Amino acid sequence: MVSEGRIRRADVAIKEGRIAAVGDLEKSKAARIISAAGKYILPGLIDVHTHPVYLDDMGALSAAAAHGGITTLIHYAYAKPGHGLLETLHRFREEGETKSVLDFGLHGGLFDPKNQAHEIPQAVKLGVTSFKMFMTYAKLGWMTDDYQLMRTLDIIAQTGGLGMVHAENGLATDYLEDKFNAEGRDPAEVFEATRPGILEAEAVNRAICLAQVAGCPIYIPHVSAKEAVEVIAQAKARGWRVYGETCPQYLTLTGEEVFRQGPLAKIGPPLRGKEDQEALWRGLTQGVLDVIASDHAPKEKKKTDDFFQAAYGSPQVETMVEVVYEAGVNGGKIMLPRLVQVMSENPAKIFGLYPRKGALAVGSDADLVIFDPQVEHTITGEGQHSNAPYTLYEGWRCLGRPVFSLQRGEVILEEGEVVAKAGRGKFLPTQAGKIDPKELV
Ligand SMILES: [Zn+2]
């Protein structure tokens, strides 16, 4: 089994949905024995960055995640302008309790903090303790200005929650986009050129500084640029309460895909270069970045769509574990115990689910994944369970994949099929941002 930063040989006993014992165990009294010989037992894997809207609702998304070896999800519940935060959270929670095959928590997403931030203290009481705003997408009307960002971080700090931002400088990007488009340049080239890494790093730095002034811990999702990794490293070195997340697409793909796959590879922040990838892997191994999560956002898109009309996002949840294992562990970028820390233990700790989730320890929920490092397979869009009709990893050959999983002792994934029922998933109240980043592994 792989946990707490090491690999060892051990049996795991499960009773009434929890881990009852770990070690060299007597097996004669077991009702069922599941062999993991030659395979790895991992603690349940947690994806804290998913969007159960667009083509996959909470049922479809959780089933796709379960096929990919994930056992717990934290979804973004976006409150659009004109909607209340609480009303949105209730709606997502209800949908999850009816449709989800996996346990799930929620982040609140505020599109209009001016009219929504006052609901944050009540949201915290409901068990939603992390709140996201956008520093970009000004043209789409999603951007929060610094006044409202400062005010909302202040409110979050007072309620003991965790701030989150999509950190890119939206107004600067919009100006560059208008200018380059007027010059008639190639859309894929304009897209990459108008979102340089330093505009991400600038926004990361600004968000971290505002959060520090507010006394609010802050979590930066989908870090993609090497310059942003540097900013987070500096803030952590100062002892500031900052957490960093990156995603499989930034670790494994480059901006070349935008030219090859067009709108399918249109995601925000954009895919970047080889040097950025190296910086992200280094950030993960050195503890500057704490989490890998998918940013699964499956949208209806075709290669031939108008680039700037096409929506942002890509399907990622089902392929996440296999592609980061292939590129990371097989590729010599990261050791398996560290990969498990950033996909299970750390997200559980940051969102206050540990040690119920994220641990193979006595008393923890019996959430575990059996990973077979010897299965060779090819990723295809057709083979995916998401409703998105494509994958950015078409034709990728991977060695190793999750083959079996349990949640609370119930079988979720067996022989490549999800056998768990929709609606079995439980809502998980979080307590986000309580752990000092220095105490994370
Ligand atoms: Zn996202």
Side-chain angles (χ1 to χ4, degrees):
M1 66 182 233
V2 188
S3 75
E4 291 165 352
R6 63 193 178 123
I7 302 180
R8 60 185 166 131
R9 193 180 297 275
D11 304 314
V12 180
I14 293 164
K15 199 176 171 188
E16 288 160 9
R18 291 178 182 244
I19 294 177
V22 177
D24 189 6
L25 304 175
E26 167 59 44
K27 295 169 197 74
S28 62
K29 284 190 213 142
R32 182 180 176 189
I33 294 173
I34 298 154
S35 171
K39 306 184 179 82
Y40 296 114
I41 306 174
L42 318 178
L45 301 173
I46 305 171
D47 185 355
V48 299
H49 190 156
T50 49
H51 299 284
V53 283
Y54 318 124
L55 296 178
D56 293 337
D57 66 6
M58 280 167 99
L61 196 155
S62 65
H67 275 103
I70 306 297
T71 56
T72 297
L73 297 161
I74 307 185
H75 301 292
Y76 283 92
Y78 281 164
K80 295 280 172 75
H83 290 271
L85 178 61
L86 293 176
E87 159 217 331
T88 304
L89 296 176
H90 282 299
R91 190 157 36 82
F92 275 77
R93 180 173 171 170
E94 255 166 53
E95 187 188 323
E97 286 174 338
T98 338
K99 294 185 178 168
S100 185
V101 299
L102 300 175
D103 291 357
F104 66 97
L106 297 173
H107 310 291
L110 288 78
F111 277 56
D112 179 17
K114 188 178 174 196
N115 296 306
Q116 296 166 334
H118 68 278
E119 293 184 279
I120 286 173
Q122 286 159 280
V124 169
K125 285 190 192 129
L126 293 176
V128 177
T129 55
S130 42
F131 302 94
K132 182 186 178 189
M133 285 158 286
F134 290 91
M135 299 171 79
T136 186
Y137 301 142
K139 271 185 195 168
L140 296 175
W142 299 9
M143 193 184 79
T144 294
D145 65 25
D146 287 356
Y147 183 97
Q148 289 302 332
L149 190 54
M150 187 70 228
R151 171 176 169 261
T152 309
L153 290 169
D154 191 20
I155 294 171
I156 298 168
Q158 288 171 39
T159 56
L162 175 66
M164 311 172 100
V165 285
H166 179 136
E168 287 185 277
N169 188 315
L171 291 171
T173 294
D174 281 355
Y175 165 73
L176 294 171
E177 207 174 275
D178 290 344
K179 178 183 165 185
F180 294 167
N181 275 336
E183 290 168 3
R185 288 162 61 167
D186 170 60
E189 192 233 320
V190 169
F191 183 72
E192 289 286 305
T194 53
R195 290 157 178 80
I198 50 173
L199 287 188
E200 178 183 332
E202 182 277 322
V204 170
N205 186 56
R206 186 158 31 108
I208 289 174
C209 292
L210 299 189
Q212 184 63 20
V213 171
C216 186
I218 189 149
Y219 180 100
I220 314 291
H222 52 47
V223 173
S224 69
K226 59 182 189 295
E227 295 89 347
V229 179
E230 287 167 20
V231 169
I232 294 171
Q234 266 176 18
K236 284 195 166 188
R238 290 180 176 134
W240 293 1
R241 294 168 74 88
V242 179
Y243 312 95
E245 169 202 286
T246 189
C247 311
Q249 49 276 36
Y250 302 114
L251 291 163
T252 61
L253 304 172
T254 67
E256 299 276 301
E257 298 300 324
V258 182
F259 294 92
R260 226 163 53 84
Q261 305 201 45
L264 301 187
K266 181 185 172 185
I267 60 174
L271 294 170
R272 300 193 183 278
K274 277 271 168 223
E275 279 179 30
D276 298 277
Q277 270 184 8
E278 294 300 324
L280 295 172
W281 284 116
R282 253 196 326 275
L284 286 167
T285 55
Q286 295 174 351
V288 174
L289 299 175
D290 309 291
V291 174
I292 298 176
S294 74
D295 197 4
H296 183 76
K299 311 236 180 131
E300 188 68 60
K301 288 196 275 191
K302 289 190 300 297
K303 241 183 186 174
T304 48
D305 288 348
D306 178 272
F307 193 93
F308 282 100
Q309 292 301 314
Y312 290 90
S314 63
Q316 294 286 343
V317 73
E318 189 172 349
T319 46
M320 173 164 70
V321 177
E322 54 198 24
V323 303
V324 296
Y325 185 89
E326 174 63 24
V329 178
N330 294 340
K333 306 283 188 199
I334 196 168
M335 304 292 273
L336 178 60
R338 179 61 184 157
L339 193 66
V340 169
Q341 286 171 337
V342 300
M343 299 182 82
S344 179
E345 189 175 332
N346 279 352
K349 286 178 171 171
I350 293 170
F351 294 95
L353 302 174
Y354 190 87
R356 179 175 171 194
K357 306 290 188 193
L360 287 175
V362 174
S364 294
D365 280 2
D367 292 15
L368 52 87
V369 178
I370 297 178
F371 186 93
D372 186 341
Q374 299 190 56
V375 197
E376 224 179 332
H377 61 288
T378 302
I379 298 176
T380 62
E382 232 162 69
Q384 301 297 302
H385 296 83
S386 163
N387 292 317
Y390 69 95
T391 168
L392 297 184
Y393 307 97
E394 186 68 38
W396 263 54
R397 290 191 64 73
C398 293
L399 179 61
R401 76 183 320 175
V403 290
F404 180 89
S405 71
L406 292 173
Q407 178 158 67
R408 288 181 276 107
E410 295 172 18
V411 178
I412 304 293
L413 177 70
E414 190 162 31
E415 288 171 17
E417 286 310 317
V418 170
V419 297
K421 283 201 186 65
R424 67 163 293 284
K426 284 204 163 79
F427 172 70
L428 298 167
T430 62
Q431 275 198 299
K434 300 287 186 216
I435 189 165
D436 190 312
K438 286 197 286 289
E439 291 165 38
L440 288 172
V441 286

